[in-house]
Every structure is written in C-alpha cells, then in structure tokens.
Amino acid sequence: MMDSLFGTVLDNTSHEQLYYQLYNILFQNIVEGVYKVGDLLPSEPTLVDYYGISRATVRKSMELLVTNGLVERRRGVGSVVISNQPSSALNKVASYLKRTVTDDGKPFKKVISAHDIKADDKLAKILCVATDIELFELKRVRYGGNTSFYLETVYVVHSYLPDIHKRDFSKESLRSYYFDIMHKRWVRATQHICAEVASANVAKQLQIEPGSPILTIYRVTYDQNNIPREYMIKQYRADKYYLVMNLEN
Amino acid sequence: MMDSLFGTVLDNTSHEQLYYQLYNILFQNIVEGVYKVGDLLPSEPTLVDYYGISRATVRKSMELLVTNGLVERRRGVGSVVISNQPSSALNKVASYLKRTVTDDGKPFKKVISAHDIKADDKLAKILCVATDIELFELKRVRYGGNTSFYLETVYVVHSYLPDIHKRDFSKESLRSYYFDIMHKRWVRATQHICAEVASANVAKQLQIEPGSPILTIYRVTYDQNNIPREYMIKQYRADKYYLVMNLEN
C-alpha cells in the first residue's frame, strides 16, 4: 500500500507544516479511494522511515484524520480507514427532477408501442429470467401540449401481468395498474442516472436533434422477495429537465 | 380547474369500472402537477354533473385517492391535494457517483488554471456579489494515470480567502484548506445535475470528442449565515461516471 505514496515527498521549504503535508497526502488517498474502508494505513514506523519525519509528526497527521472521521486508531492493529467521506461532507436531504421550463400545455402520454418482445441477453439478465422469455414492452412519450418532454420505456415479464397488453396506458397510470388493480407490492429500486446523447430514433420521439444531450434514468424495481419486476428507462430532454439535490450538514 | 378535465370522458363500454376511470384521471392530474399541493379538487356535485355519474362513484374515486395519500377530505372545504407523490413512492436511501470503470492509474489532480477573474453577471448573481468583484477561479482535471476523469472549476470570492492564490492545489485538498486551515464552516449546498455535451475546450481537457456526453454537477455551498461561499462545476466524462440512487419503501 506504500505504492500510492511512492514518489510523493514532503517539502521542508514549504510554509506548510510537515504534519499537515502528510495529512494532506493521506487525506487525498483516502478520499480518492486508494485506501478503502477497512484498509490499514501504513504504520507509524513505516511513515517515519519513508518520509524521514518524527513519530510526533506522524501522530499529529493521524489525529487530524481521526478528527475528520476518516480513520480510527485500533490498539494492536493500527490506523484503519473507516470512511472515504470526510465527516464535514454534507448529507442529501432531498432530490427531485426539475423542469427548466414551465409545462403549460395539457399533459398526456402517447403510447408509441405496446407489444411483446423476446428478452435479449441484457434484459434477461436485468430481470433475472431466461433469454427469449416474453417481455411486455411499453413505450410512451410524455407531452405537454405539442411539446414532448420525455420518453419512457418499460419492460415487465408478460406472464407476471398476463392482461397488461389489454390496458390502455395512454389513459391509465401504470402505477395505478400495478398497485390498485393488480395489488403488487414493490419495495426497492435501484436507479442509474446517466448523461447520454439522443440517437436518431430517440431524437425523433423527443423532437430534438440527434446528438442532443438527454438525462437517462435506468430503474430496476424489486418486490418483497427481491425479485426484479420492472425495468424502466426514462429519457429526459436535457433542455427541459435536471436533477436537484439539496444537501445539509 | 375543471379545464384539466375538459375533453376527458368516462367510457361506459370499458371493462374498467367508472369510479376507477375517474380515479385514474384525477390521479394523473395530481401526479403530473396539474393540481398542486393545497389545491381543491372539483367538488362532488361538479364531478357528478360533469361526468353524469352517481355521487357514490365520485366518492369511491376520492377514497382511493385518500388511500394513496394524495388527497385529504376536509369537512366544509372539500377534497384537498396533500401530495403529488403517491404514498407507494419509494424514498431515497442513498445516492453516489459511481465509476463505470476501475480507476487503476495513480490518481492526481492537474491544475489547469488558478487566477483571478472578474465576476460576470451570472457568477455575481450566484455568489451574491457585485459584478466585477475579483473571484479566484481554480480549474483542475482529475486524472487516473494518463486518463482524465473529470474537470472541476471552482469560484470563490478572493477577499474571502485572501491567500488562496498562494496554495498549490495540485497537492493540497481544497476541502482541507477550507476547513482545516481556514476553519470555515459550510452547512448547506444545492446541486443541479445535468446532462450536457462537451464543448471543444472541455472535450480537450477530458480527452474526449467534442459533443460527447458529460454529466455536470453545479454546486453552490452556503455558510451558516446562508451566504453562498463557493460555486463549483464538476464535469464528469459520461463514459466513466453515472449517479446511483437506491430507493426503499
């Protein structure tokens, strides 16, 4: 693990005290994930030796790391990394998608396609089913008046919701169908939020130029048995949406 | 407010019960924000009249909205929207930036520029200062080995940190400088996360093609007196980073 320190030297001519220079090197390495949670930092004698500084200096650096909530000193073990985020880091208190523009037009969803497809390798893996299983694919564009806002693509295993192809999701909420009609219970989801550029096809649906930026959310939702039940892709026009995150101490 | 319902009719020939059709219309309008929190829904008599259905049917729709945590019935007032998010919505439990690739190379930050600029209108507004105030602008690229990962641009009012131009932020953590050296205390931040495409200049720093997608985080951090102290723009290569959000019931 000394590898990560290799090449870094302390600067005796700096206005910065040596303990603070060492602290900074270790801090950077922890925050950058070179040292991971649970890793041991190099021992005091190793650091004394490597940098040619006093034991007291090394201790002072370690104390500052402890104060910042990054390191814990364990008797007989050494200095263990307990967090990669300084305790002064702010905690998320709220996050939500925000429109950059007011959406004055009448909101509605237009169904682009609603039919069965055979799961390819990627979809099969995400939904934990065999390849070629029948999936119901629903694509809708959310409009405000004549302007499109986002494209939504949903995949569910058809046999899980055998009548789903009979519904009209230009009128009905998918969520209401799942929960009110089918009495499904989903408890957990994982979302990946990515910056992408629109393909020709997506651009057409979203009334933008191909290559325009889109904010894409990939979401897998799991039921109470931890079985993935829905895979949803929402492609938002980046000129109309951004994600807001508020953080607090 | 009946405007939003204009043109929607219930379908007597549908396999869907009428109360559920009405519920769906109201649900959609609430979730889409046509009715906002605090808004009154159209009264029972209005809905009875408009759709030509029984009062019992309207009540059943309202009850389902109440069950879903969207509406509260207030005696002598009517049905008030109390949330635009169904209670079955999942709550965020964690979110973090994730690399799509392992970052094997030695991590370091290269300082691209570190100098004063005069606040333009936009920066002045964000940092609540007069136009033309001296801002210290720090641009750094985070590398892993020879590969660039993100570009970071920071603006602070120079007089707030008079010695900041003397520091070497290729070696020192900006965060350590703020908190350990300058003993600043920041309590709150707002982040906007946007999908963008790289300009020629940004693309060059990030070793990508102009027009490639980037995930940009705009962050304003406030001190305990609610004064904005730092404006930071982080431009992440979208081929290397995405945001993960875990949600739970």
Side-chain angles (χ1 to χ4, degrees):
Chain A
M1 258 183 298
M2 286 301 286
D3 285 1
S4 64
L5 304 179
F6 184 76
T8 59
V9 286
L10 304 189
D11 178 2
N12 276 301
T13 66
S14 166
H15 63 289
E16 213 69 83
Q17 294 191 52
L18 290 173
Y19 87 89
Y20 187 71
Q21 292 185 42
L22 175 58
Y23 161 72
N24 242 311
I25 292 168
L26 295 170
F27 179 99
Q28 293 273 24
N29 277 295
I30 294 170
V31 169
E32 296 285 356
V34 176
Y35 296 109
K36 301 195 191 334
V37 171
D39 281 356
L40 268 175
L41 291 186
S43 69
E44 273 180 27
T46 310
L47 291 168
V48 165
D49 222 47
Y50 186 86
Y51 289 108
I53 49 180
S54 76
R55 194 135 184 169
T57 301
V58 173
R59 275 202 191 138
K60 226 170 155 183
S61 317
M62 290 296 175
E63 271 155 31
L64 204 46
L65 291 172
V66 171
T67 306
N68 266 296
L70 296 175
V71 162
E72 198 176 86
R73 314 197 73 176
R74 295 197 188 140
R75 233 165 239 290
V77 179
S79 297
V80 180
V81 175
I82 56 165
S83 169
N84 291 108
Q85 278 222 321
S87 55
S88 53
L90 298 167
N91 294 310
K92 252 133 255 141
V93 289
S95 74
Y96 51 91
L97 271 173
K98 197 168 167 174
R99 287 196 201 100
T100 55
V101 289
T102 50
D103 171 19
D104 290 327
K106 184 177 154 55
F108 67 95
K109 287 190 175 172
K110 184 175 155 194
V111 174
I112 303 302
S113 71
H115 56 81
D116 275 9
I117 61 158
K118 287 198 182 295
D120 62 15
D121 287 352
K122 192 188 143 225
L123 288 171
K125 201 177 158 201
I126 291 168
L127 288 167
C128 285
V129 291
T131 311
D132 289 341
I133 283 276
E134 299 278 328
L135 302 181
F136 182 70
E137 180 195 72
L138 174 67
K139 274 186 193 283
R140 297 186 293 182
V141 175
R142 160 66 160 78
Y143 282 84
N146 294 318
T147 311
S148 53
F149 279 75
Y150 61 82
L151 171 62
E152 177 187 274
T153 309
V154 172
Y155 298 98
V156 289
V157 174
H158 200 152
S159 62
Y160 173 67
L161 294 161
D163 290 334
I164 193 168
H165 61 284
K166 297 179 188 158
R167 318 294 297 193
D168 179 0
F169 292 110
S170 65
K171 295 203 176 83
E172 188 175 15
S173 148
L174 198 55
R175 185 193 291 270
S176 297
Y177 174 65
Y178 293 149
F179 302 129
D180 301 326
I181 301 284
M182 300 305 293
H183 302 289
K184 297 299 183 189
R185 225 188 112 222
W186 296 350
V187 300
R188 191 170 73 75
T190 303
Q191 291 187 164
H192 289 184
I193 294 133
C194 308
E196 297 181 342
V197 290
S199 66
N201 198 28
V202 168
K204 199 182 144 208
Q205 299 294 355
L206 291 179
Q207 307 169 336
I208 52 179
E209 289 298 313
S212 301
I214 51 173
L215 191 66
T216 307
I217 300 187
Y218 298 90
R219 175 175 171 154
V220 185
T221 311
Y222 299 81
D223 71 8
Q224 62 271 39
N225 298 316
N226 218 23
I227 299 171
R229 290 305 191 183
E230 185 203 55
Y231 180 47
M232 181 185 270
I233 304 165
K234 279 192 166 183
Q235 294 166 297
Y236 294 88
R237 285 177 57 164
D239 60 340
K240 298 218 178 288
Y241 286 94
Y242 58 95
L243 188 72
V244 178
M245 261 189 203
N246 292 317
L247 305 104
E248 255 173 45
N249 236 349
Chain B
M1 256 184 298
M2 286 300 287
D3 286 1
S4 65
L5 304 179
F6 183 74
T8 60
V9 285
L10 304 188
D11 178 1
N12 276 298
T13 67
S14 166
H15 62 290
E16 214 68 86
Q17 295 191 51
L18 291 172
Y19 87 89
Y20 186 70
Q21 292 184 43
L22 176 58
Y23 161 73
N24 242 311
I25 293 169
L26 295 170
F27 178 100
Q28 293 273 23
N29 277 294
I30 294 170
V31 170
E32 296 286 357
V34 176
Y35 296 109
K36 303 200 189 329
V37 171
D39 280 357
L40 268 176
L41 291 186
S43 70
E44 274 180 26
T46 309
L47 291 167
V48 164
D49 223 45
Y50 186 85
Y51 288 108
I53 50 179
S54 75
R55 194 134 183 172
T57 301
V58 173
R59 277 201 190 140
K60 226 170 152 182
S61 318
M62 289 296 176
E63 271 155 30
L64 204 45
L65 290 172
V66 171
T67 307
N68 266 295
L70 296 175
V71 162
E72 199 176 83
R73 314 197 73 178
R74 294 194 191 144
R75 235 167 238 290
V77 179
S79 297
V80 181
V81 176
I82 56 166
S83 169
N84 289 109
Q85 278 222 322
S87 54
S88 53
L90 298 166
N91 294 310
K92 253 134 253 139
V93 290
S95 74
Y96 50 92
L97 271 174
K98 198 168 166 174
R99 287 196 199 99
T100 56
V101 289
T102 51
D103 171 19
D104 290 327
K106 183 177 156 56
F108 67 95
K109 288 191 175 171
K110 185 175 153 192
V111 174
I112 304 302
S113 71
H115 56 83
D116 274 8
I117 60 157
K118 287 197 183 295
D120 62 15
D121 286 351
K122 193 188 142 224
L123 289 170
K125 202 177 156 201
I126 291 169
L127 289 166
C128 285
V129 290
T131 310
D132 290 341
I133 282 275
E134 299 277 330
L135 301 181
F136 183 69
E137 179 196 73
L138 174 67
K139 274 185 192 284
R140 297 187 294 181
V141 175
R142 159 68 160 77
Y143 282 85
N146 294 318
T147 311
S148 54
F149 279 75
Y150 61 82
L151 170 62
E152 178 187 274
T153 309
V154 172
Y155 298 98
V156 288
V157 174
H158 201 154
S159 62
Y160 173 67
L161 294 162
D163 290 334
I164 193 169
H165 61 282
K166 297 179 189 159
R167 318 292 298 191
D168 178 0
F169 292 109
S170 65
K171 295 202 177 83
E172 187 176 17
S173 148
L174 197 56
R175 183 194 293 271
S176 296
Y177 174 64
Y178 292 150
F179 301 129
D180 301 325
I181 303 283
M182 300 306 291
H183 302 289
K184 298 298 182 190
R185 223 188 115 222
W186 295 351
V187 300
R188 191 170 74 76
T190 302
Q191 292 187 163
H192 289 184
I193 294 135
C194 307
E196 297 182 340
V197 290
S199 66
N201 199 26
V202 168
K204 198 181 145 208
Q205 298 294 356
L206 292 179
Q207 307 169 335
I208 52 179
E209 289 297 313
S212 300
I214 52 174
L215 192 67
T216 307
I217 300 186
Y218 298 90
R219 176 175 170 153
V220 185
T221 310
Y222 299 81
D223 71 8
Q224 62 269 39
N225 299 316
N226 219 23
I227 299 171
R229 289 307 190 182
E230 185 203 54
Y231 179 47
M232 181 185 271
I233 304 165
K234 278 191 169 185
Q235 294 165 295
Y236 293 89
R237 285 175 59 163
D239 60 340
K240 299 218 179 286
Y241 285 94
Y242 59 95
L243 187 71
V244 178
M245 261 191 202
N246 292 320
L247 306 104
E248 255 172 46
N249 235 349

